[in-house]
Amino acid sequence: MHVRTFKFMHILLAMVLIVSLLPGARMTFAAASSNTGSSGAAGSNIDAVLLLDVSNSMKSSDPQKLGNEAMKLFIDMLPAQGDRVGVVAYTDQIEREKALTSLNSADSKASLKRFIDDLNRGPYTDISIGMGEAISILQDGARQGSEPMIVLFADGNNDLNSNAGKTNSQADQQLKAAVDNAKKLGYPVYTVGLNADGKLNQQALANIASETGGKSFVTSSADELPQILSEIFAAHQQVNVVPVDSITGNGQFQNVKINIPNASVKEANISIMSSQKVEVKLIDPDGKAVAVPSDQVSVSTSKSYSLVKLLNPQQGDWTLQVKGADKDKIDINLIFNYSLELALEPLASKSYSKGDKIDISAYMTSNGQKLTDASQVGSLKAVLNVTDLDSGAKSQVPLTTNGTQFTGTFEVPDNHRYQLVVRAEEQSFYRETAPVTVDATGKATSGNENSGTATPAPSDGKIAGLSLISWIIIVLVVILLGVGIWFLLRFLKQRNRGFVGQMVIEIRDENTGEKSYPQYKKLNTFRGRFNLHQLLQLAPELKETEQITFTPGNNDRILIRNGAESGIEKSGRSIDASRGYELKSGDRVTIALRQVDKTILLEYLN
């Protein structure tokens, strides 16, 4: 931080202290802050870590590498923008990992899928190691307001290395601690049990899912992957899988009807599961052929599936033409991504009691705007789901549907507390409102957090009982405090900013030409700054690398600074890193040392 900025921060903090000591300011500020509430809606973007057991036991429990295929299909099914995915491959140690990566282009998805294809298997298994690392990645990189989640693909069995000194009891305790941590942090874990050999430890995976608020699935066939992944998406994207058709290939193009039900579909994901390669063509509702791929259509393929993604498709009946190998079974499913949300009109801010009738009104929105065109949502049906928070009893109240509006009446059955959630659903998706609590015990005011009654201004010139000068002081204090905290947090963040990803290091002896085995050094243990000598385990002969330092950059990048005499090259060209040079994921540099005849090869991966 610059000296001038640091002084300015001190001045601001001093001003806050002075203002806070003015007569009445502290009391006024406390009174105002006690009436301040905060609320925020969770964002729909996903921050997911895909966790895969790559131990040798998976050769029998997952010989077709369905886990790898499911991970790739998960990535392909995500919307074109906004989501981030990380990958952890484990045995009884972390074999390979990738920090949360933004998937905002076809290239970024393809790169992550190549990473998954390159995963190798190794001996032994310890689920607690993988779980702990997946949680760490989310803790380090999950965005505020995102939907964090872990998807675990495994057979549920541990196979510990007897020479490592770790017992099954210790591994179980560490797994329990990791699961408890995921639950505390709000990271649901969805488990997909891979069971080709019938030796699945289904209960272990089910326990992980239930403890963390996720779901547990079992599969031994690629045909089941769309259904499983759709159910995982349902908890976050609120969509349903729509079975379209199952056909048997005959070497010719066959027509399959694809219905786009309304105008609010952002993406239509057509998953085609087949053991052999298929060809596809598309015809829009107007009968015109659509190029595949094109600006309207993207296609992703793997050894067990093809995913055709229609972007902002026209409403109506499309024709998918599929050509498969003779006698090849082909399953086709449809999954939509929508820009729709369901909102509940605020309830009256009052106390309720047994027998009171509460008017319920909910409506659909798109990109924050209230919808009025019923064609944009299709044939939705809605209910009010009621949970008695005192007895645990659940009930439903049917709502009347009028296009994009849903209305009804809830009669309070007893002097209890109730949670109300409106759910609107049609074949391809559903939406739910944020839960609202109604308190009919006579002890509290009911309604949702944002509801309330307007308070008229008193005639004595005061607002909410406070003088105008007091409100000015409050506003000034809040502004100054906010700016001061911003500078302080910026300063602390810069000093304690963490790293993501890892560095792959190889050392080449220029006299013999021999090159060391690649070393993978995880960077998440460093904060603020570290030097290359630390990564090289402080080897005395490589001491000159103390002057080559790394600091965090923006967008999960890293800055390398060279204060030594060593030369640094990238792609065979010398670079000037004296003031810092930015490295992005996949960048490789070579560092020619001057004091010894050795060259260090670095690759940064995140």
Side-chain angles (χ1 to χ4, degrees):
M1 177 178 287
H2 294 298
V3 174
R4 184 178 300 173
T5 303
F6 194 75
K7 288 181 178 178
F8 183 56
M9 184 182 72
H10 274 83
I11 293 170
L12 284 171
L13 292 175
M15 290 175 66
V16 169
L17 288 173
I18 292 170
V19 172
S20 67
L21 293 174
L22 290 175
R26 284 173 292 173
M27 186 179 299
T28 303
F29 183 76
S33 61
S34 67
N35 293 322
T36 302
S38 62
S39 63
S44 59
N45 289 340
I46 288 175
D47 282 340
V49 175
L50 305 180
L51 178 59
L52 179 66
D53 179 352
V54 292
S55 63
N56 286 333
S57 65
M58 297 292 283
K59 290 180 180 178
S60 56
S61 56
D62 185 22
Q64 297 178 311
K65 291 193 173 182
L66 291 182
N68 301 59
E69 292 297 290
M71 292 166 78
K72 292 188 292 183
L73 181 57
F74 182 97
I75 291 166
D76 283 331
M77 286 169 59
L78 287 172
Q81 299 281 333
D83 297 314
R84 300 195 304 169
V85 174
V87 176
V88 174
Y90 71 93
T91 53
D92 64 337
Q93 61 184 5
I94 303 303
E95 297 294 332
R96 292 197 69 185
E97 68 176 276
K98 185 173 278 290
L100 290 171
T101 301
S102 296
L103 302 179
N104 291 328
S105 67
D107 287 343
S108 60
K109 288 189 175 184
S111 176
L112 193 54
K113 289 190 292 180
R114 285 195 297 271
F115 179 87
I116 293 169
D117 281 334
D118 290 340
L119 297 177
N120 294 317
R121 288 175 170 163
Y124 310 114
T125 320
D126 187 347
I127 300 176
S128 68
I129 297 297
M131 276 289 296
E133 189 64 18
I135 293 169
S136 294
I137 287 179
L138 286 176
Q139 283 184 292
D140 290 342
R143 298 161 293 180
Q144 186 174 5
S146 70
E147 294 281 351
M149 61 191 295
I150 297 171
V151 187
L152 168 62
F153 301 91
D155 60 11
N157 298 300
N158 272 353
D159 178 20
L160 303 182
N161 182 358
S162 59
N163 295 324
K166 187 175 184 178
T167 66
N168 284 314
S169 177
Q170 290 172 327
D172 291 342
Q173 289 175 1
Q174 289 182 10
L175 178 58
K176 182 181 184 304
V179 170
D180 290 343
N181 195 24
K183 180 179 179 180
K184 179 182 72 175
L185 294 168
Y187 300 161
V189 182
Y190 297 86
T191 63
V192 181
L194 304 168
N195 192 34
D197 60 357
K199 297 180 180 179
L200 175 72
N201 188 343
Q202 185 174 354
Q203 190 58 51
L205 296 178
N207 289 342
I208 293 172
S210 63
E211 285 293 318
T212 59
K215 292 184 178 181
S216 185
F217 306 90
V218 175
T219 183
S220 58
S221 168
D223 297 343
E224 299 166 327
L225 294 182
Q227 179 69 41
I228 290 173
L229 295 179
S230 297
E231 291 194 40
I232 292 174
F233 271 108
H236 295 271
Q237 302 294 85
Q238 297 184 345
V239 297
N240 296 324
V241 64
V242 182
V244 175
D245 208 347
S246 291
I247 61 176
T248 301
N250 59 11
Q252 304 296 321
F253 280 102
Q254 300 179 63
N255 292 345
V256 177
K257 177 183 173 183
I258 301 293
N259 176 257
I260 305 300
N262 57 68
S264 292
V265 175
K266 288 174 60 180
E267 296 178 348
N269 296 290
I270 307 168
S271 61
I272 305 170
M273 310 305 295
S274 171
S275 61
Q276 299 188 53
K277 184 178 179 180
V278 298
E279 296 181 48
V280 296
K281 296 181 180 179
L282 270 174
I283 299 174
D284 69 16
D286 295 329
K288 298 177 181 177
V290 178
V292 181
S294 64
D295 292 341
Q296 294 177 264
V297 184
S298 67
V299 179
S300 306
T301 60
S302 186
K303 66 181 182 181
S304 61
Y305 73 86
S306 295
L307 189 84
V308 180
K309 187 184 290 282
L310 309 185
L311 307 175
N312 297 310
Q314 177 184 344
Q315 181 180 352
D317 289 333
W318 291 62
T319 300
L320 175 71
Q321 298 181 320
V322 182
K323 180 181 179 181
D326 191 32
K327 298 182 180 179
D328 184 28
K329 183 174 180 285
I330 302 171
D331 288 318
I332 303 171
N333 292 280
L334 184 59
I335 305 157
F336 296 114
N337 291 327
Y338 282 94
S339 60
L340 296 173
E341 298 298 335
L342 181 62
L344 179 67
E345 294 281 5
L347 305 184
S349 181
K350 56 173 285 187
S351 295
Y352 294 99
S353 59
K354 180 180 178 180
D356 284 349
K357 294 183 178 180
I358 304 174
D359 291 332
I360 302 296
S361 179
Y363 56 90
M364 298 300 301
T365 67
S366 178
N367 297 319
Q369 300 297 313
K370 188 173 182 179
L371 290 181
T372 57
D373 184 358
S375 69
Q376 292 184 272
V377 296
S379 55
L380 284 166
K381 297 184 183 301
V383 296
L384 175 68
N385 289 318
V386 181
T387 303
D388 187 325
L389 297 177
D390 296 332
S391 68
K394 297 181 183 294
S395 60
Q396 280 190 343
V397 177
L399 299 180
T400 300
T401 301
N402 181 17
T404 61
Q405 193 86 13
F406 314 100
T407 57
T409 301
F410 169 59
E411 183 173 343
V412 178
D414 211 332
N415 292 325
H416 291 178
R417 293 179 306 118
Y418 297 91
Q419 184 183 83
L420 309 182
V421 175
V422 176
R423 178 183 174 111
E425 184 169 11
E426 61 105 56
Q427 182 187 19
S428 63
F429 78 102
Y430 69 91
R431 289 293 184 268
E432 292 182 341
T433 62
V436 171
T437 299
V438 166
D439 194 327
T441 63
K443 299 177 182 178
T445 300
S446 300
N448 60 12
E449 292 183 1
N450 296 320
S451 64
T453 56
T455 304
S459 59
D460 59 359
K462 294 184 178 181
I463 303 173
L466 301 177
S467 66
L468 182 60
I469 186 64
S470 296
W471 279 109
I472 293 174
I473 291 173
I474 291 172
V475 173
L476 181 61
V477 169
V478 170
I479 292 174
L480 292 176
L481 186 61
V483 174
I485 291 174
W486 182 83
F487 275 104
L488 179 61
L489 291 177
R490 182 182 175 188
F491 173 69
L492 294 176
K493 182 179 179 181
Q494 190 63 33
R495 291 196 61 178
N496 296 287
R497 191 174 178 185
F499 294 82
V500 297
Q502 58 188 338
M503 199 75 78
V504 184
I505 301 174
E506 297 174 274
I507 302 175
R508 184 174 64 221
D509 189 319
E510 296 302 331
N511 293 320
T512 64
E514 294 181 353
K515 189 164 60 174
S516 68
Y517 189 81
Q519 302 176 55
Y520 292 83
K521 303 287 186 177
K522 292 195 293 184
L523 305 181
N524 57 7
T525 58
F526 294 102
R527 289 289 183 273
R529 190 179 79 163
F530 67 92
N531 62 54
L532 181 56
H533 199 218
Q534 292 171 272
L535 284 186
L536 299 174
Q537 299 180 330
L538 306 177
E541 71 273 16
L542 306 177
K543 188 173 177 59
E544 65 184 281
T545 58
E546 287 181 338
Q547 303 304 313
I548 299 174
T549 61
F550 301 92
T551 54
N554 295 324
N555 301 318
D556 291 342
R557 299 187 179 188
I558 194 169
L559 295 176
I560 181 172
R561 286 183 173 86
N562 184 15
E565 296 180 356
S566 309
I568 302 181
E569 293 184 355
K570 179 185 174 186
S571 301
R573 295 183 178 182
S574 177
I575 61 173
D576 181 7
S578 59
R579 296 185 179 181
Y581 185 87
E582 189 175 68
L583 300 178
K584 62 181 183 298
S585 181
D587 279 352
R588 300 183 182 188
V589 297
T590 58
I591 303 172
L593 304 182
R594 294 288 185 262
Q595 298 177 10
V596 291
D597 291 333
K598 294 183 184 295
T599 297
I600 300 173
L601 295 85
L602 295 180
E603 181 179 6
Y604 174 53
L605 300 173
N606 65 13

